[in-house]
Amino acid sequence: MAPKKKMLRARTTRVRRVLALRVGGRIYSTALTPDRKAGGYTVRVSKLPGCITEGDTLAEAKRMARDAISLWLHGAPSSQAKVRVPTRLPGHPAT
């Protein structure tokens, strides 16, 4: 097994984390799930149906999630416009 993959497996757990990401001045709650078989992380944005992405590292997963949120908002049909308002998390630092 490659050293990078060993390190990634050692640091990942099965526990899902919730992250708050700031995009366009708003905060979006995301679920970050480690993938022990393939490595990396899967990110789902609960308030944006179908907005799912992944990254090999935590930093890449966050970057990809911000990009996916921006693209989802840009391409959302008018019927989904009301979904664009995320849950506000007062006092929660966005990453």
Side-chain angles (χ1 to χ4, degrees), residues 21-24 26-30 43 45 48 51 53 62-75:
L21 297 176
R22 185 180 305 275
V23 177
R26 297 197 179 266
I27 298 173
Y28 294 86
S29 178
T30 62
V43 183
V45 185
L48 306 178
C51 188
T53 189
K62 287 180 182 180
R63 187 173 64 249
M64 297 295 284
R66 285 187 185 98
D67 191 37
I69 292 168
S70 294
L71 291 170
W72 193 98
L73 294 174
H74 179 72

Side-chain angles (χ1 to χ4, degrees), residues 38-53:
Y41 301 88
T42 300
V43 183
R44 286 183 170 78
V45 185
S46 60
K47 297 291 183 182
L48 306 178
C51 188
I52 302 169
T53 189

